[in-house]
Amino acid sequence: MSSDPRCRDESLKSFILSLWIPRNWKASPQGKEHKTDKMQGTGLYRTQWLVLLIGVALIVSGCPKSSRVSDHSAAHQAPQDPDAALDYYEQALKANPTNADYKIQASQARWEACQLHIQRGQAARLQGKLQTALGDFQRALEIDPSDAAARQEFQAVLELIGGTPPSEEQKTAKGARTADFAEGPPEVKPLSTAPINLRMSNDAKVVYDTIGKLAGLTVIYDPDFVTRRISVELTDITIEQALDVVSLEAKAFWKPVTQNIIMAIPDQTQKRRDYEEQVIQTYYLSNAVLPQDLTEIVTGLRQLLDLKRIQQVNSQNAIVIRDTLGKLALAEKIIHDLDNAKPEVVIQVEVLQARTDRTHQLGITPGSTATLSYSPPSSSSTTNTKSPLSQLGHLATNYSVTLPGATLNALLSDSNTRIIENPELRSVDGQPAKLRVGDRVPVATGSFQAGSTSGINPLVNTQFQYIDVGVNADITPHIHPNQEVSLKVAIEVSSVTGSTTIGGIQQPIISQRKIEHEIRLKDGEVSILGGLFEQVDTKTLTGWPGLGHVPVLRYLFATDSTDHQDNEVLIVLIPRIVRLPALLQADLRPLSSGSETNIQVRRKENIQTPVSSPTATEPPPNPMDPSSRSTGGSRPKPTARIAFAPAAAELSVGLTANIDVVVENIRDLYSIPLLLQYDPRVVSIEDIHQGSFLSEGTQEVGLVQRVDKELGQAVISVTRQPNTAGVNGSGTLLTIVVRGIGPGLSSLSIVQVNPRDSKREPIAVVTGETSLTVKK
């Protein structure tokens, strides 16, 4: 039978019919069927039934895959297990590569699985679980290597873990020429925070030089620096605070030139412009929706910080600023405070309209006019038109009187109309939301007549505009931090109630009920905007005067008409806040911004009184730790080391060799990310295996690896299971399988390493390298 998972109904039907029709029955020439041999037909029934059952069983057995696939796919299409669904559909696609359904389902499962791992990785990264996030992003790349978001997230986590450099692709995209440029102006080497005491009365240069010698700095001076005698008496201040105080008294400022050289410069506006270095920075805003949002932020920054070089980029939702570090720090604080997600509100609008029309007519409406006609006799053939007066009474004259007709009216009309609208509008703070439910009715607004020429009829052109008729709502919300909402509301309920002819054009009559006002409501508070109640009663009596008022006879000579209309409209608004203003305590915190002429920021430690740190003491030795035992005098604490074994290796082109990464004298090792560098023209890393050190031979460890054979780099991260202690001592951390590519010499070295203990604190280590020689 066919291995196609889909059963062909037509083939099955034909096969069953071929078995069902007995062979001893045949069609007669007249179109009727008859038996040729009754006894023979009876004997064949059982055989044909047996063949029929066997055929059905074979056909059903030829397509069991379809039912299994449908049942299995239904079980694995759940969003909580897209990996299993992907594995199943890939196996099914391998078994039947031409099945279009499998291809579609496999593509969908691949996308869902990739997105699931990206979301898990992002959640783990926000929780600080970088190793878990790295594993999820790597799994997403394995599922879909073309996913750019997974690749970006993977690279970002790698940089967070080990400070890995950008890939070659990123360098090409972001500009390789700026990769080695400095990110900011030079900074002095970390100065000691130990308090010092200084009492001097001397020339300003001498004081600067004295402080410089205390800090190990060289002080140079601007050619226009004016020396003057100053007196300083400083107690318990840091080196940086001392430099700031001396600069304040000497009317100067200082700036780093290199890590160990500073320069003293007169404090003048032009000098600051000449010496203060500027930095260019691009800030990408996440929540700005309109170009107007960027314009407002840029205008505020320019006014507050006196920025002269600032540019907004609407296409990238970004702001580019070039200025000093102090102004950039303030600008970053302001942008961070203002770039918040706008609050949103869902407004539930309820429009209830009930209209009742009742019309009652009863009676006979008689005619109001009668016609009297006179028909003179026909003229005779004689020409004598005179007749004697005696024959006046014998003249033939015809009179006719037409009596008026009457109309019997018996009409009862009762109509009820109920309109219930319950839409929901979701809007961002300050942005209008509009709702239109109903029809667009054309209304003539004007007409003009073109000039006519001889023999051509003039044409009249009429202009129309369309009016929205129905439920029209325009709402602009403003959300307050105290969970209240201000609403600027314009709601209109209209309908076409009739028509009239104006200027030869039939125009609709539109009934309108409109409310415009501004209100402020709490979250979930119900507001009834308007309860409009309209009641119209009309009574009409049509008939003959006098008789139409007789109590009983009035129904024979008059018609009594009663028209009753009730119209009720109720409009209800209920706001519900779905996103509040994201205001944190950091957004409300003030920030020092320097003076009016010198905008700058300061760190807390630079203005606080330094505190003498107690001398660090060694913890008491652990008698159970052999490394802490002493055989006599004091022994220095061994240094943790990461090395390769062997230190040098030789291999041939095309062959492989194993290089172990070992750790020595390390304490409480929990995780260790590594960045290895080698010459890709000589060797290549083919595989990486975990050692027995972190697993202690029994526990599982997390191993994440990424090898870039083109750049000659390998990123490796090994981590113990959560809630486990670190490992002490020495052992094999990894085993790296390298293969010879071409003859030459290459070093396999550790470029970056960031080991952590069980408290996530860094561990100081010394690294080594190995030399690999590849021969032909």
Side-chain angles (χ1 to χ4, degrees), residues 401-420:
V401 178
T402 302
L403 297 178
T407 303
L408 175 62
N409 296 316
L411 174 63
L412 178 61
S413 176
D414 190 352
S415 63
N416 293 324
T417 303
R418 295 183 180 273
I419 300 176
I420 300 177

Side-chain angles (χ1 to χ4, degrees), residues 114-146:
C114 183
Q115 294 301 314
L116 177 64
H117 284 287
I118 291 177
Q119 294 173 2
R120 289 178 178 176
Q122 291 173 345
R125 184 192 59 191
L126 293 177
Q127 296 175 1
K129 302 177 181 178
L130 299 182
Q131 300 294 338
T132 304
L134 193 64
D136 281 317
F137 292 140
Q138 185 180 19
R139 174 57 181 163
L141 282 176
E142 293 174 356
I143 294 174
D144 188 3
S146 64

Side-chain angles (χ1 to χ4, degrees), residues 36-345:
T36 58
D37 192 342
K38 181 181 296 184
M39 298 300 295
Q40 182 181 2
T42 305
L44 290 177
Y45 278 155
R46 297 179 181 178
T47 304
Q48 291 176 347
W49 273 107
L50 180 60
V51 173
L52 174 63
L53 293 177
I54 295 175
V56 172
L58 290 176
I59 293 177
V60 173
S61 63
C63 55
K65 186 183 297 184
S66 175
S67 60
R68 290 201 303 267
V69 167
S70 60
D71 296 340
H72 202 74
S73 62
H76 287 288
Q77 279 182 341
Q80 62 270 16
D81 195 7
D83 289 333
L86 177 61
D87 294 339
Y88 179 79
Y89 283 118
E90 286 182 346
Q91 294 177 3
L93 193 59
K94 289 180 180 179
N96 190 4
T98 61
N99 193 305
D101 288 342
Y102 291 166
K103 293 181 180 180
I104 296 174
Q105 296 293 345
S107 300
Q108 180 68 20
R110 183 177 295 104
W111 182 85
E112 292 179 356
C114 183
Q115 294 301 314
L116 177 64
H117 284 287
I118 291 177
Q119 294 173 2
R120 289 178 178 176
Q122 291 173 345
R125 184 192 59 191
L126 293 177
Q127 296 175 1
K129 302 177 181 178
L130 299 182
Q131 300 294 338
T132 304
L134 193 64
D136 281 317
F137 292 140
Q138 185 180 19
R139 174 57 181 163
L141 282 176
E142 293 174 356
I143 294 174
D144 188 3
S146 64
D147 195 294
R151 189 175 303 278
Q152 292 176 359
E153 295 285 1
F154 183 83
Q155 185 67 26
V157 175
L158 282 180
E159 294 178 2
L160 290 176
I161 293 177
T164 59
S167 62
E168 193 67 26
E169 180 180 338
Q170 290 178 326
K171 289 181 179 180
T172 304
K174 298 298 183 181
R177 297 181 179 179
T178 61
D180 298 331
F181 289 174
E183 297 181 357
E187 297 180 358
V188 296
K189 61 184 179 181
L191 300 177
S192 174
T193 58
I196 64 171
N197 298 322
L198 180 64
R199 178 180 299 177
M200 293 186 65
S201 179
N202 208 327
D203 187 79
K205 289 186 177 181
V206 177
V207 179
Y208 270 119
D209 293 337
T210 303
I211 299 176
K213 292 178 181 179
L214 292 175
L217 302 174
T218 301
V219 183
I220 61 176
Y221 302 92
D222 180 81
D224 297 332
F225 185 85
V226 179
T227 181
R228 65 181 67 190
R229 188 178 183 85
I230 60 174
S231 298
V232 293
E233 185 174 352
L234 308 176
T235 304
D236 290 339
I237 63 173
T238 63
I239 296 293
E240 190 169 351
Q241 291 174 349
L243 290 173
D244 292 338
V245 173
V246 172
S247 299
L248 187 62
E249 291 194 12
K251 297 186 182 301
F253 68 96
W254 66 276
K255 69 175 294 292
V257 179
T258 63
Q259 287 188 342
N260 57 353
I261 300 176
I262 64 173
M263 187 175 191
I265 309 164
D267 192 2
Q268 300 171 4
T269 304
Q270 187 60 39
K271 290 293 184 180
R272 285 190 175 273
R273 292 178 180 174
D274 294 340
Y275 283 101
E276 285 188 342
E277 298 189 32
Q278 296 186 348
V279 180
I280 188 169
Q281 180 72 39
T282 303
Y283 300 96
Y284 293 93
L285 280 70
S286 303
N287 301 296
V289 180
L290 303 174
Q292 180 183 355
D293 301 336
L294 287 178
T295 304
E296 291 179 355
I297 296 177
V298 168
T299 303
L301 292 175
R302 185 178 289 112
Q303 295 293 331
L304 292 173
L305 304 179
D306 193 20
L307 298 178
K308 297 180 176 60
R309 297 175 179 86
I310 181 172
Q311 178 65 38
Q312 71 181 65
V313 185
N314 297 332
S315 61
Q316 298 294 327
N317 228 26
I319 299 175
V320 184
I321 305 176
R322 179 177 180 263
D323 218 301
T324 61
L325 281 177
K327 290 186 178 181
L328 286 181
L330 293 173
E332 183 178 0
K333 168 69 167 56
I334 296 174
I335 292 175
H336 178 270
D337 293 345
L338 298 180
D339 186 27
N340 290 326
K342 290 187 176 181
E344 297 184 31
V345 61

Side-chain angles (χ1 to χ4, degrees), residues 87 156 396 419 540 555 582 608 651 727 776:
D87 294 339
I419 300 176
T540 304
Y555 293 106
Q608 295 176 349
L651 66 159
V727 183
K776 292 184 179 180

